[in-house]
Amino acid sequence: MAARSRDTVPADPDAVPDAAPAPVQGPGEEGILKAAIAVMAEQGYHGTSVRDIAVRAGLSPSALYYHFASKQEVLATIMERGIEELLRRTRAALADAGDDPASRLGAAVETHVLFHLEDQRGTMLGTSELRALEEPVRTRHLDKRHQQQRLFDDVLLRGAELGAFGTPIPLEASRAIVVMCTGVASWFSPDGPLGRTEIAHRYRRLALDMAAAAGR
C-alpha cells in the first residue's frame, strides 16, 4: 500500500486519524485561511505543510484538521471563495450599471480591480497556484473563471454591436482588459502615490480606451 501524504494525515501526535478531533478554541476557519494565505504566499503551496499553516494560525495540526481535511482542501476553499465572491460582485455591479455599454464596462473594471487590491496575497495565490488544484475542483474552478471572463466578453461584444465600442476585436480587447485588471495585485503598493480607488478609476479609463468607446 502506498504511503499516505503528510498533508492529508494529521502529523501531530495528538491527532486522531480515524476520527475528527473535538472542537477547540482558536481562530476558526477564517483565521486558518488567512494564515494559509500568508504562509503559502511566502513558501508556495508545495513548500507549505499543514503544520506550517497550523503554527501560523496558532493551532496544533490536530486542531486544524477539525476544520479542514487536508492542505488541498484549504487551498480549494481559498480559491473557490475568492472566485465566487468576484463573480457575485461583478454581477451586482453590472446589474447596477444599467444598459449603457461604457457604464457596464467601467463598473466591471472597477469591481475587478478593487477586488484584486483588497487582498493582494490572496488573489495572487489564486493565480499562481491554480496548477496545484486537484480534480474535480480544478475543472469546476476553471469554469467559474471562464464565467467571469464571459461577463466581460458579453459587455464588449454588445457594445461593439451597438456601435458604442469601436474596437474591431472585442473579444481580444476583453481578454486584455481582464488580464490587465488582474495584474494590479502583483505591483500595487499601499505606500505608492496612488490609492486603490484612483487606480480603479484609471483602469476604467484605460479599458474604455482599449474598447475605443464612442466619444472618447
Side-chain angles (χ1 to χ4, degrees), residues 13-152:
D14 296 328
V16 182
D18 298 323
V24 295
Q25 295 298 318
E29 285 192 7
E30 292 304 320
I32 293 170
L33 294 175
K34 288 180 181 179
I37 289 171
V39 71
M40 287 182 188
E42 296 168 5
Q43 302 175 186
Y45 173 79
H46 292 292
T48 298
S49 68
V50 167
R51 183 176 293 278
D52 293 331
I53 299 170
V55 169
R56 185 67 63 95
L59 296 169
S60 68
S62 60
L64 187 148
Y65 279 106
Y66 175 72
H67 297 281
F68 298 99
S70 66
K71 182 178 74 171
Q72 177 66 202
E73 185 178 352
V74 173
L75 178 67
T77 301
I78 292 168
M79 296 183 70
E80 285 291 274
R81 287 188 182 183
I83 190 61
E84 287 170 3
E85 178 63 12
L86 178 58
L87 280 166
R88 186 193 68 78
R89 293 188 192 185
T90 305
R91 288 167 176 155
L94 289 171
D96 290 341
D99 297 328
D100 177 62
S103 296
R104 291 174 65 78
L105 178 58
V109 164
E110 290 195 5
T111 298
H112 199 92
V113 169
L114 290 172
F115 176 84
H116 282 82
L117 293 181
E118 188 175 291
D119 178 9
Q120 288 171 255
R121 290 187 302 182
T123 54
M124 288 178 66
L125 183 70
T127 300
S128 64
E129 297 296 351
L130 174 62
R131 63 189 182 278
L133 274 185
E134 298 173 1
E135 295 295 355
V137 176
R138 187 175 188 274
T139 295
R140 292 200 303 265
H141 184 77
L142 283 172
D143 179 67
K144 292 173 185 176
R145 289 191 178 208
H146 294 154
Q147 291 177 41
Q148 176 70 6
Q149 179 64 62
R150 286 195 294 272
L151 292 175
F152 280 80

